[in-house]
Amino acid sequence: MSVNLSKGQGISLQKSDGVALTAVRMGLGWQAAPRRGLFGTRTKEIDLDASAVLFAEKQPVDVVFFRHLVSDDGSVRHTGDNLVGGAGQGGDDEAILVDLQRVPVHIDQIVFTVNSFTGQTFAEVQNAFCRIVDETNGQELARYTLTGGGKYTAQIMAKVHRAGGGWQMTALGSAADGRTFQDLMPAMLPHL
């Protein structure tokens, strides 16, 4: 059963039987919002990019994004760049896989971001979401829907962080501006 997250809400990343998850997928999906033009309704291709920044004691130590698809330790992997989004059918257009058992012990947080590489604002995007999936069985555990559009070009979406002996996910949903994860670093720091 999936949980629809609201901004700031957290969930434990344990299965219903209390066993800790071993591998999760953070999926990102979106669709270009139709715009009315002189000759009818049309959409413009929008290139959203998912990134994961790995932190150790509030310091960035690695990043996974469309130009660096695998973390240096191999525990986090991006499935590849999607330049146009999907048809709004709910599938993942980009995904980042995290092998929680392989994440080095010094990594205490992984922050997931999405940015509009082509510079359109979220007012021009519809059906955008991020979700976390148990990669071992494909079950969606949580979904965070990006609603309301807005005149910003990026979103600090969620973070996965160590909590006690396991991992927890917190939906952040913080609006930001930037075309790449580097542009978003100052906006990420207050969420660590």
Side-chain angles (χ1 to χ4, degrees):
M1 180 172 135
S2 180
V3 174
N4 285 319
L5 295 177
S6 56
K7 184 175 180 176
Q9 183 180 1
I11 61 163
S12 173
L13 295 183
Q14 287 195 340
K15 296 182 181 183
S16 57
D17 61 6
V19 176
L21 291 171
T22 58
V24 295
R25 172 175 19 111
M26 178 64 72
L28 167 66
W30 75 94
Q31 179 181 16
R35 298 180 352 187
R36 293 197 182 271
L38 186 58
F39 300 106
T41 303
R42 61 191 180 109
T43 59
K44 183 176 183 181
E45 291 180 351
I46 295 177
D47 180 9
L48 296 185
D49 289 323
S51 302
V53 183
L54 289 71
F55 288 90
E57 298 181 14
K58 299 187 180 186
Q59 297 298 314
V61 295
D62 201 356
V63 65
V64 173
F65 71 118
F66 69 91
R67 288 192 180 140
H68 185 246
L69 295 176
V70 180
S71 63
D72 293 339
D73 59 54
S75 66
V76 182
R77 185 171 50 90
H78 195 297
T79 60
D81 196 13
N82 180 321
L83 302 176
V84 297
Q89 302 302 316
D92 299 335
D93 295 313
E94 290 194 11
I96 297 175
L97 307 169
V98 181
D99 184 340
L100 294 168
Q101 293 181 313
R102 290 186 55 201
V103 175
V105 69
H106 71 284
I107 303 295
D108 53 14
Q109 299 184 69
I110 302 171
V111 178
F112 296 93
T113 66
V114 59
N115 55 271
S116 174
F117 188 74
T118 45
Q120 291 96 342
T121 69
F122 277 89
E124 300 175 76
V125 180
Q126 67 183 17
N127 299 328
F129 65 88
C130 78
R131 66 188 190 134
I132 194 157
V133 175
D134 180 345
E135 192 62 14
T136 61
N137 64 13
Q139 178 184 3
E140 181 176 295
L141 303 171
R143 177 177 289 257
Y144 180 62
T145 303
L146 302 168
T147 58
K151 295 195 179 281
Y152 50 90
T153 59
Q155 181 99 209
I156 313 301
M157 296 182 71
K159 71 177 180 177
V160 174
H161 51 100
R162 293 188 190 272
W167 290 89
Q168 183 169 351
M169 176 189 164
T170 301
L172 300 171
S174 179
D177 283 300
R179 292 183 53 224
T180 66
F181 78 88
Q182 293 100 324
D183 299 337
L184 304 178
M185 290 304 289
M188 273 186 252
L189 297 179
H191 299 288
L192 301 178

